[in-house]
Amino acid sequence: LSFFVLAMLIALAPVWLVGNFHTGDGPAHLYNAHVLSDLLFDSSSVFHQYFYLHIMPVPNAIIQMVLAILMLMVSSVLANKIIITLIILLIAFGYRFLLNSLSDVKVNAFTVLLIVFCFPMKMGLYSFMAGIGVMMFGLGYYIRTHKELTNRNLIVLTSLVTLTWFFHFFTCMALLLFIFTYEVIYLFQLRKST
């Protein structure tokens, strides 16, 4: 059993060992997902009298859509646990991917727990936290491929930046800032060595 798997089990234990894992905005996400689910899949819902669905590609939409679909299959409590689990796994694997991209960095697997249960997660900022996970994948991918940006690499990187934007605007901007800063430092070091 690797330390990483053990860290994941520790991270997921509080989510699954309690009846309902409470976060600050969790109930609001569940309510919004319920309304969205009714607007999408129940033409007789009372919500149609007060709301209409205006489909646009906006940040924060992915979590609501996933929750709406999950709530068609499972209870809201279970849907909340599943979405939190997916976010924790996304952050953990993104963190691991980023660390593996920095070949000279050796960090204990348990440090991921510091990210998973930080203040934004407890506040229920699901889209922001999922965006952090995708942001780490994007930054790790950039670090691995920035010396040879082929068309394929650019398409993958652009897709990761776009996916980050769909999760949360600020995590997308942070990813772009990290990429810019990393590239400036790399080019400065390259110029200094020649």
Side-chain angles (χ1 to χ4, degrees):
L1 194 64
S2 75
F3 284 120
F4 182 75
V5 172
L6 184 59
M8 289 304 83
L9 292 174
I10 290 169
L12 294 173
V15 176
W16 290 97
L17 293 178
V18 296
N20 189 6
F21 188 79
H22 295 284
T23 61
D25 284 354
H29 286 297
L30 293 172
Y31 178 75
N32 291 339
H34 171 72
V35 171
L36 181 60
S37 179
D38 276 8
L39 288 172
L40 287 171
F41 304 112
D42 184 3
S43 59
S44 64
S45 171
V46 70
F47 293 122
H48 286 285
Q49 296 175 18
Y50 304 101
F51 303 106
Y52 72 97
L53 200 54
H54 185 73
I55 307 273
M56 289 181 56
V58 295
N60 299 353
I62 291 178
I63 295 295
Q64 297 302 325
M65 292 298 289
V66 172
L67 268 174
I69 292 167
L70 282 172
M71 288 174 61
L72 291 172
M73 299 177 271
V74 297
S75 70
S76 60
V77 171
L78 190 54
N80 192 46
K81 287 177 183 262
I82 291 170
I83 203 75
I84 291 171
T85 299
L86 292 173
I87 292 168
I88 288 171
L89 293 175
L90 183 60
I91 290 169
F93 282 100
Y95 182 72
R96 186 175 186 176
F97 184 79
L98 176 59
L99 290 182
N100 288 336
S101 301
L102 301 166
S103 58
D104 56 340
V105 174
K106 301 293 180 223
V107 179
N108 188 314
F110 288 99
T111 57
V112 73
L113 297 175
L114 299 172
I115 298 170
V116 168
F117 288 115
C118 63
F119 182 73
M121 184 62 150
K122 192 62 186 149
M123 290 304 299
L125 305 179
Y126 296 167
S127 294
F128 178 76
M129 292 304 293
I132 294 277
V134 177
M135 178 189 74
M136 288 188 283
F137 273 111
L139 185 55
Y141 187 79
Y142 172 75
I143 290 168
R144 291 178 183 205
T145 62
H146 77 100
K147 292 179 183 174
E148 47 189 75
L149 284 176
T150 63
N151 286 338
R152 180 189 175 277
N153 292 346
L154 284 172
I155 289 169
V156 171
L157 185 61
T158 302
S159 299
L160 286 167
V161 170
T162 304
L163 184 60
T164 305
W165 183 82
F166 276 111
F167 276 109
H168 201 277
F169 175 77
F170 289 122
T171 56
C172 179
M173 292 300 104
L175 174 57
L176 292 172
L177 180 64
F178 286 141
I179 288 172
F180 175 78
T181 304
Y182 192 91
E183 190 65 22
V184 167
I185 292 169
Y186 171 74
L187 291 174
F188 180 75
Q189 289 174 342
L190 192 64
R191 184 175 176 183
K192 191 176 178 182
S193 68
T194 58

